[in-house]
Amino acid sequence: MNRSIRRIAVAFMVLFLALLANANYIQVFQASDLNDRADNKRVTLDEYARERGPIMVGGTQVAYSVKTKDDLVYLRRYRDPQLYGHLTGYYSYVLGRRGLEKAENSVLAGTDDRLFVRRIVDLITNRQPQGGSALLTINPKAQQAAYDALGNNRGAVVAIEPSTGKILAMVSKPTYDPNQLSSHNANSILKAANQLEDNSSRPMENRAAQRRYPPGSTFKLVTAAAALSGGRYNPDSKLPAPAELDLPLTTFNMKNWQNGLCGPAPQVTLTEALATSCNTAFAGLGLKVGDKALRQQAEKFGFGQEYLQDLNAATSVFPGELNPPQLAQSSIGQYDVAATPLQMAMVSAGIANGGKVMQPYVVAKVSGPDLKTLEVTEPQTLSQATSPGVARQLTQMMVNVVDHGTGAPVKIDGVSVAGKTGTAQTTPDKPPYAWFASFAPANAPQVAVAVVIEHANVGRNEISGGRLAAPVAKAVMRAVIGR
Amino acid sequence: MSDTQQTNPVQPRRRRGAELVLLVLALGVAVGAYAIVGVAVTGHVSPQIVSYALGLVLLVGIAHVVVRYRAPYADPILLPCVVLLNGLGLALIHRLDLSKVKAAQDAGESMPHVDAPAQLTWTAVGVAAFIAMLLLIRDHRWLQRATYTALFAGVALLLLPLVPGIGVRFQGAQIWVRFAGLSFQPGEVAKMLLIVFFAGYLVVKKEALALAGRRFLGIDLPRGRDLGPIVSAWMISLAILVFQRDLGTAVLFFGVFVIMLYVATERPGWLFLGGTMFVGGAWFAYIAATQLGISQFSHIANRVNAWLHPFDPANANGAYQIIQSLYGFAYGGLLGRGLGEGHPTLVPLAKSDFIAAVIGEELGLTGLMAILLLYGVIVERGLRTALVCRDQYGKLLATGIASVFAIQVFVVIGGVTKLIPLTGLTTPFLSYGGSSLVANWALVALMLRISDFARRPATVLPPAPTEDALTQVVVVRR
């Protein structure tokens, strides 16, 4: 029998070798694939067990981690959650990550490749690895000013530093408290999430970057830029400005906002048309310039392009295949033209920056756990939207809007401000949106601001960009330039 | 010529001192692991450690003393291996208990049921069974008298869970009986009884079974009339599979029987035939479930599908366990997270079927390989005992016991590491579960009894039991 016992022993040895080989395969070769799988709770638990790095605004940690005694060791907390919730997003055991918590996760969690050496050192010294930090471009004073000035209105504010593309303020209302979604209690997270989902005013949406509105008369800046860039117009060019413009192919006539002429005469200059936000003049101008030139100009300002993916920004749209009445409507920012407040802030910022539109960004720099800088975001040019000359002309026209036109409420003593109002129709049964796009100081721009207010607690007839949105923009500009 | 008149070529050494040293080491690891998991999970050493350590030392001490006086020539390595596995199992079960208690405290719930004290009690019962076996069975050849008694008792125990009223269905398998508030798995005891039967039966019938029938493709196939035993073993396994839905036990019985048949007859034809019947049966079960829709086999098809495509959403339910187990292994990596530092509670049934995943997570590949090698040593020592044993009955018995451990370890750990489809079996000595622990301790006692006999100097060998029924002519192959 010994021969067969020996053979059985060899057979068992083969089986055990197969077990050993398979264990090696799983725990060494397959391990990283298995650890990367989305439904692997261990990795999440691990992430919670490390101290996640802060998100900073100025010298303040607006998102930070505190140690707890429960299984998920670290709890994510947000300071001024209503003010910064749309930027930070949340870090939730149940719902995952959103906002900058998602975009900057690798640095905050300490898993970024740039932190590799440090992780090795931590491993050897048996120190608990820590996450790095992200410093935002946000100016806390401007952010607070925008938040306060918006009051209880639904709407959004974006402020940009024209020369760099830094986002100085980004506020969306109504807002929400990410602390509720980042707690360690699954039931209370789900309850809060359901309430936020069911809320018809969609408080979790970052209106400043994610919602597209008809830009209304603020789009006239783009139309004017297209006209001036074409070379056939200058700020003093006379435009026909009838009380009603007979739109070709339709029985519909376009009227002006006040249902009358835009000025004393049925002809106005381009500068006057912008100052009074003359619909008939700009619709006629758009028809002359043509949809191709208009679309190209819009795209140079950033329409149709993706930017600020960190915050999941929506892409603004200038529609294609336009017939003349649609083109006329589009020239004054109606029909299917759709722009985010961020996009309109970029239009202002581009004009302020001599026609050069900068890529917007919200993370100024990221640092390792030792506060050593890992990366500083360098400003990047998105496109040259207009020539510096055209930008200068547009600036003059926008200053005129504030000094002598609809933008008067934004005047700041001792500072020259450039601006453009907008009042965008949506549907006849709904109140229009109030817009304001602006920058200051006009001669040496420090900040460009776009404001949209979508639902104000005032009567339908009292809604206008100048009256509602301009004061908000003014508050933000004053906060930045210190006047 | 009788076996007993041969001289043992190996210089007999008792080596009880070596066993004692190894036992102390094993106890050190077990108590150390118990202390570490307490510190890692709760921040302090569990207060029960003194009574736990004393209890374990006392049990192992008594076992050692009994071996020293009643089986002085027994293999010195087997008992320390078993103590190490059992002690580590206790520490891991305690570790899982602590996680459960901590979770309940965090959630403000009442104190949950803990399993480590029960496992320690079962360890005591196991050691008692071990001692009783060594004291009662002075010579393993006595068991040969009980060949057919063992068969009937074994089959009766196997069928017990099917008796209405005391049989309990749990996790899909009907392998438990509950009686007077205690539940146990009779299959675990049947395992030993059936090995006793197989050995007794085969040692008598091996000549007849070894007669070659015809040669086919270079393999000696048995004669048709000799096919009876293997076919009945096959049918019994199939019956377990169908009526108790216990894939693991079916594979174990059939595998052990085929191996013992091969060792007894030395005819590879039996292995070939057994393998063919096993593969054929498994294939039929799979086809029956997937193509013919026979629900009795659906659990087999589910296991196979979960094994082949664990991440396919269609297998989400059946594959949950194996996926969590794989995540545990991956998380452990090369060196493991450290005892008490992983998340083994995420794996369902971590205490019983999936304890290897806990080892893989907290002790890493290194720990898992160490455990596998420990089992390898147990199997190797068992087969070595079979090799040096001078009587054929003892050879078969030792081979059977070694095969039980080998197959069980391969099937369970192969299952939880996705090498083969998952089957429900316990990991010997490590898993939580009383019946399995007691039965395995008894098997080890039997193995020590055989090895004591095998390693004893020829001059002090006891005479073979003299009963006319057992008198036989034996051809000694060496």
Side-chain angles (χ1 to χ4, degrees), chain B residues 321-347:
Chain B
Q321 285 184 322
I322 183 72
I323 289 176
Q324 293 308 316
S325 166
L326 289 178
Y327 286 168
F329 284 115
Y331 192 60
L334 195 62
L335 296 173
R337 293 278 148 175
L339 279 173
E341 308 284 355
H343 306 290
T345 43
L346 292 174
V347 184

Side-chain angles (χ1 to χ4, degrees), chain B residues 92 250 403:
Chain B
L92 292 175
S403 305

Side-chain angles (χ1 to χ4, degrees), chain A residues 1-2 4-5 7 9 12 15-16 19-20 22-24 26-27 34-35 37 39-40 42 45-46 71, chain B residues 102 262-263 266 311 324 326-329 331 333 343 347 360-361 365 369 383 387 392 395 414 417 419:
Chain A
M1 289 190 207
N2 283 0
S4 34
I5 292 173
R7 283 188 185 157
F12 283 159
L15 291 185
F16 273 76
L19 287 180
L20 289 170
N22 186 52
N24 275 275
I26 286 176
Q27 299 199 263
L34 288 167
N35 282 335
R37 292 191 62 92
D39 61 338
N40 192 336
R42 284 181 175 78
L45 288 169
D46 232 22
D71 259 2
Chain B
K102 192 161 180 285
Y262 166 64
V263 170
E266 300 197 295
F311 294 109
Q324 293 308 316
L326 289 178
Y327 286 168
F329 284 115
Y331 192 60
H343 306 290
V347 184
E361 177 167 358
L365 177 64
M369 297 208 340
L383 290 175
L387 275 179
Q392 311 228 336
K395 277 182 185 299
T417 56
L419 182 64

